[in-house]
Amino acid sequence: MQAARLRHWGLKLAVLAGPYALLLAGRLLIDSDFAPPRLLFSLLVYLTLAIVLNRWAAVGAVIGLEGFLSHANWAKESLTGETLVARDVLEVSQGASLSSYLGWEMAAFATLFVVALAIGVWKRPRFSWWRLAAGLVLPLMLGVRLADSGSAGKAVNSVLSDVFNAHYLSYNFNENAKQNGILAHLYFTAESIKLPQRGPHAFYDNPSATLDPAPGPDVALILCEACFTTTDDRFRTAIADLGKRGFVQSTAISPVYGGGTSEAEFELLAGLSSQVLPGVDYQNFGPDYRDGAESLISRFRGAGYHTAGIHNFYGSFWKRDTVYKHFGFDEQHFVETMAWHTRTWPSDALLYQRALDVYAAQPAKKKQFMFLVTVMTHGAYRSSDDGETDYRTRLTAAVKEMEGFVAELEKRAKKRKRPLTVIVVGDHKPSLTSVFYRKGIFDPHYFRTTGTSNGDFRFAFKLTPAQYRVRGEVPVFIKATGKGNADPAAMAARVAERPMFCLSSEVARLAGGEDRFWPTLAGLCERSPDALAKHGKAAWQAVFPLPLYAERLF
């Protein structure tokens, strides 16, 4: 009797646990990787399919689907350097392109998926409320992600990151797919399924600013990696010394904190909020921007400038090489063509030397616009005081390189008898949250968790507009030399405490042109900092409607 009971419960346990064990074993066929994000999303897809399919067949369908998508991703990556994204799978025109990557492995996994699906429907189970509840977890997660639903989305992302180690590496899709697996990668990139569409909008109903005649100087716009200082003594750093070199200091509000440079870069170059389109604009939409997209670059090119985008890191990082091409830079330079031989972040000396070479290569009377993105102060920062000493050391060295570059550029511009405007702006605060907390830049109300090190701090899911403004505040420095140039003090005043795209409108004033977008943007930026202290997609989409993005970029 006892043996029969044991056999009964053993069989029952095998029936219940068997599909999960088989799902686990199936990873050996896919990629032999048992990392938590892969296991989690395989399970979530299984539970969704098991609503309508026999459980054993649902396992086969998951293995077939994940195997097919994994091999399609590897094939696309080897042929194009790009990964699959959700749009490739869910849009008909993109999904059809998967057939171009078809190999025997994909054919085998596709066959397994179709056969398992057919058997699962044939042997479909009776309706069960628990199956339905479990199976709806993934669709609900996708709904939250597609809706970009504020606090709910942040809560889901926090659980995925903190509990399952599923970190969305938005800056590098190839690494994101490699680390999290194809199913998690497609979930994360689902935010970018739809492109904005053209249509009527009311952006130009806003009153335009009256712009003075453009002075037309040579322009060097420097986006400085993690460059930050306070105006008081709480966290004063070496970059504040630019004030002693003739720069006028101001502030701007970055859309990002601690990372995500390309979002600040997008606002500078496009003159639009980076918070309206889902996810990271460069990463999600870079290949979709049209050639000759209307941007700050087209503004300067239209005014007769030679334009150059230069960055002392890889062009593929944030897809800058793709974006710069579509935005219309006459030339672009990345670290692949610079003499970088260290194992540290590349020195900004490489960036500035290339910028001087570009400047020298153009005729003396040719107006020039150079957009420079630094990198040597990139995190993480490693020292016993939560990284502060490491950060300050590197920033001091970076500022020294910058000062040398500005002095040399001024000398060359003077020799050419050209006016010159140099604008330096931090892309975001450095990731030194515990340091800022101790120094009173942030108070406890900014966080849902605190601790003793940077990694212990988690920002609250919902901050007030004033808190978002403090979190995003970065320094701006402006210097103008030569006859007939713009007034840097006036520029600094118009930018102060306003979003990054307002700095873009100020830079656009230097070039002149007929594009009505820039006077309208300048008029918008004449509003008070409080009126512009918005955050989130809904708030900014009311200002920058989606059809405007389609009209200018796609």
Side-chain angles (χ1 to χ4, degrees), residues 155-168 188 458:
V156 172
N157 290 340
S158 180
V159 171
L160 289 175
S161 175
D162 298 344
V163 178
F164 296 99
N165 201 32
H167 303 284
Y168 182 25
F188 282 127
R458 296 287 187 275

Side-chain angles (χ1 to χ4, degrees), residues 29 57 59-65 106-118:
L29 293 175
V59 171
V62 172
I63 294 172
L65 178 64
M106 288 175 63
F109 279 115
T111 301
L112 173 60
F113 174 73
V114 172
V115 171
L117 205 63

Side-chain angles (χ1 to χ4, degrees), residues 12-26:
K12 193 166 187 177
L13 180 63
V15 170
L16 290 172
Y20 300 101
L22 184 59
L23 186 65
L24 192 65

Side-chain angles (χ1 to χ4, degrees), residues 417-428:
K417 298 181 180 180
R418 289 285 301 142
L420 172 69
T421 300
V422 180
I423 303 108
V424 179
V425 58
D427 59 349
H428 52 69

Side-chain angles (χ1 to χ4, degrees), residues 230-252:
T230 56
T231 54
D232 55 27
D233 291 333
R234 287 177 299 168
F235 196 80
R236 188 175 180 84
T237 67
I239 198 168
D241 292 342
L242 291 179
K244 302 174 184 177
R245 304 288 188 270
F247 283 84
V248 178
Q249 184 172 352
S250 185
T251 57

